[in-house]
Amino acid sequence: MEFYQTLKCNHLAKVLVVLTWGMLCLRAAECSDDTAGSVDYEAINCRKHTAVLTDFGGKGDGYTSNTEAFRRAISELSKFATDGGAQLIVPPGKWLTGPFNLTSNFTLYIHQDAVILASQDEAEWDLIPPLPSYGRGRDAAGPRFISLIFGTNLTDVVITGGNGTIDGQGQQWWTKFCQGQLNYTRPYLIEIMFSDHVQISNLTLINSPSWNVHPVYSSFVVIKGLTILAPTDSPNTDGIDPDSCSNTRIEDCFIVSGDDCIAVKSGWDEYGIAFGMPTQHLIIRRLTCISPDSAVIALGSEMSGGIQDVRAENITAISSESGVRIKTAIGRGAYVKDVFVKGMTLQTMKYTFWMTGDYGSHPDDHFDPKALPVIQGINFRDVVSKNVTIAGKLVGIKDDTFSGICISNVSIELSEHAKKQPWNCSDIQGVSSQVSPQPCALLPDQKIDCPYPSDKLPVDEIQFQTCAAATYC
């Protein structure tokens, strides 16, 4: 039986597209009411046209390459961008593929019983230039491998599903990286560049070769309902990395990672300073994280375009290294300011609060030693943290004080192996209120509530529609 053949059973005429290699049926309808079925999903926009990967010769057997099937499908569906857009359904099965590029006014829908398997044939992965705000690949100098699902200069793109799975099959990449056998930076699972109105939602992402989700130089990005899983000893498997993005919303995600669950970035040293695109107006809410060796939310270390107006609330962490960590260094320049965090529940942590002014990795030797970062207006409130080794390590930079730090209504229960000095502070300035154990003298008690913004960001105005992923007869 042909699976998922129509967008809606609404008795409209069929749209038939004949390709040289076969026939693709893109239907706007013609099923009887008693035989029609559908799968609904939420998206920023619905599509007029639909197709299934099998229409383009896709085979979900787990070993046949579907790289060309994905590429043909998206190329053909891009023709409908100005006619209501199109969606590609990935039906149940295991779909081995190399990288493919998305298009505008497009939805990639991954069925709940579908698994996209990333090819382990390195020859399938094209090389692309390094990010201009980084100047080089993150793992190695020079170019980098393209991401599995990639897009650039797009408008209105949706990657979603019924918790369908994308498996990066990262073990061979991790092994090569750790053994120094890679000449180029590892690929990410999903990377969207220079785009606006992007949705990534309701998927399970596992075993990424490196970062999982990387929106960069983009705006109005909604990331929602992701389950991201990687071995906790896997290298650099960050969950979500908003990078030089404006108006981004991350919510209702569960992440187990070998690195930071959320890593907020904006370029690296002199390259990020020159590119000058900050990450700003970022919302993170209802996040659950497990990351024994890294942070729940990291700001930096690549923050040389600036980070401003970050709002995080209702954050849960278990067995993680730190709650919110600011990572910066001499040479980064720019700023991290106006950060607001409320409602963290943390269990079994090394640090509750951590700020680092000596995170000194650099892309090369050409960074400016006079480029000092400004860390200012960092606010934490309503935090419960249990079984903690160190309450806070807040270390700024000499002659570059981290200022405007506010911590209020915080209860930290130290573990039996806790350090004798629960707080370690230097080159910082701020206040505290109702914090236990008592913070260091550089955070005097002022009996105040740290602020949290009450205004609504534009990205929160984005509303979802109920769309039909597919119908079939």
Side-chain angles (χ1 to χ4, degrees):
M1 181 178 72
E2 286 293 320
F3 205 52
Y4 301 131
Q5 292 179 329
T6 61
L7 177 64
K8 290 185 178 179
C9 292
N10 56 6
H11 308 291
L12 297 178
K14 297 177 182 179
V15 179
L16 188 63
V17 178
V18 179
L19 303 178
T20 57
W21 57 272
M23 185 177 292
L24 161 67
C25 188
L26 290 167
R27 301 181 185 178
E30 287 202 6
C31 295
S32 63
D33 291 338
D34 59 346
T35 59
S38 67
V39 179
D40 292 340
Y41 67 96
E42 291 189 334
I44 54 177
N45 281 303
C46 300
R47 311 302 178 192
K48 181 178 177 181
H49 303 278
T50 194
V52 189
L53 186 61
T54 50
D55 294 330
F56 297 87
K59 294 184 179 180
D61 55 20
Y63 59 86
T64 300
S65 175
N66 291 280
T67 306
E68 290 307 312
F70 273 107
R71 292 176 179 176
R72 283 193 212 104
I74 295 168
S75 176
E76 189 63 35
L77 293 175
S78 68
K79 299 174 183 178
F80 297 94
T82 58
D83 183 29
Q87 59 185 352
L88 177 65
I89 309 301
V90 182
K94 294 184 177 180
W95 307 90
L96 181 68
T97 182
F100 56 88
N101 293 356
L102 302 182
T103 188
S104 293
N105 303 304
F106 176 80
T107 295
L108 177 68
Y109 183 90
I110 304 170
H111 187 276
Q112 65 179 354
D113 297 320
V115 180
I116 292 179
L117 294 170
S119 172
Q120 294 186 299
D121 180 2
E122 193 174 308
E124 284 214 70
W125 299 78
D126 293 337
L127 293 174
I128 60 174
L131 294 166
S133 60
Y134 283 68
R136 51 162 282 167
R138 191 63 187 82
D139 293 341
R144 59 201 183 101
F145 289 109
I146 195 169
S147 296
L148 179 66
I149 300 176
F150 182 76
T152 187
N153 295 292
L154 305 180
T155 294
D156 184 10
V157 61
V158 175
I159 309 167
T160 191
N163 287 319
T165 299
I166 303 173
D167 184 349
Q169 302 202 94
Q171 182 62 63
Q172 76 163 19
W173 295 97
W174 306 331
T175 300
K176 288 181 178 180
F177 172 75
C178 292
Q179 294 178 353
Q181 296 176 351
L182 287 175
N183 295 319
Y184 307 106
T185 293
R186 289 164 286 161
Y188 310 139
L189 278 192
I190 300 173
E191 182 176 67
I192 305 295
M193 298 176 56
F194 295 109
S195 299
D196 66 271
H197 293 87
V198 176
Q199 174 188 334
I200 305 168
S201 66
N202 298 329
L203 299 168
T204 297
L205 312 180
I206 62 175
N207 300 322
S208 178
S210 185
W211 302 350
N212 280 268
V213 179
H214 185 222
V216 58
Y217 319 138
S218 296
S219 61
F220 291 96
V221 179
V222 179
I223 300 171
K224 179 180 175 69
L226 298 186
T227 298
I228 299 176
L229 306 174
T232 55
D233 61 351
S234 55
N236 311 115
T237 50
D238 297 10
I240 304 168
D241 289 39
D243 195 344
S244 293
C245 288
S246 181
N247 272 291
T248 303
R249 188 170 113 203
I250 301 170
E251 56 192 11
D252 302 310
C253 294
F254 176 80
I255 302 172
V256 180
S257 176
D259 210 319
D260 302 318
C261 288
I262 307 289
V264 185
K265 301 178 181 293
S266 67
W268 200 4
D269 284 9
E270 69 269 27
Y271 304 103
I273 294 171
F275 197 76
M277 182 179 288
T279 287
Q280 57 187 348
H281 313 313
L282 168 63
I283 301 168
I284 305 167
R285 58 167 74 104
R286 299 184 299 276
L287 168 72
T288 299
C289 169
I290 299 174
S291 182
D293 296 317
S294 290
V296 179
I297 300 173
L299 305 170
S301 70
E302 305 92 340
M303 39 66 64
S304 299
I307 297 172
Q308 184 172 18
D309 190 11
V310 176
R311 309 174 185 195
E313 59 181 322
N314 298 328
I315 308 299
T316 300
I318 306 165
S319 299
S320 297
E321 187 175 38
S322 62
V324 175
R325 185 181 182 189
I326 295 176
K327 300 190 289 187
T328 190
I330 292 171
R332 293 288 191 269
Y335 52 83
V336 176
K337 58 185 178 181
D338 303 331
V339 175
F340 307 92
V341 180
K342 72 172 181 179
M344 288 200 301
T345 303
L346 312 176
Q347 177 70 45
T348 308
M349 310 291 292
K350 184 174 182 180
Y351 303 96
T352 299
F353 306 109
W354 196 5
M355 300 182 188
T356 308
D358 62 352
Y359 202 90
S361 64
H362 300 287
D364 52 41
D365 295 331
H366 303 301
F367 68 92
D368 181 0
K370 296 180 181 179
L372 300 178
V374 174
I375 312 300
Q376 177 181 296
I378 314 298
N379 301 275
F380 303 99
R381 59 183 286 182
D382 309 333
V383 177
V384 175
S385 187
K386 297 181 179 181
N387 195 25
V388 175
T389 304
I390 301 170
K393 183 177 182 180
L394 312 178
V395 179
I397 298 172
K398 186 178 180 181
D399 300 322
D400 184 29
T401 300
F402 295 0
S403 63
I405 299 168
C406 182
I407 304 176
S408 70
N409 190 26
V410 173
S411 173
I412 300 173
E413 293 183 11
L414 298 173
S415 72
E416 60 181 23
H417 304 294
K419 300 294 184 181
K420 291 183 179 179
Q421 287 291 106
W423 292 85
N424 178 4
C425 307
S426 62
D427 298 299
I428 66 162
Q429 175 275 324
V431 297
S432 65
S433 179
Q434 295 183 302
V435 177
S436 175
Q438 181 68 37
C440 49
L442 294 175
L443 297 173
D445 191 337
Q446 297 291 317
K447 294 182 171 53
I448 61 169
D449 286 329
C450 300
Y452 193 90
S454 58
D455 63 311
K456 206 170 187 178
L457 291 178
V459 71
D460 247 343
E461 302 289 347
I462 292 177
Q463 300 295 315
F464 286 84
Q465 304 177 41
T466 299
C467 306
T471 57
Y472 55 91
C473 301

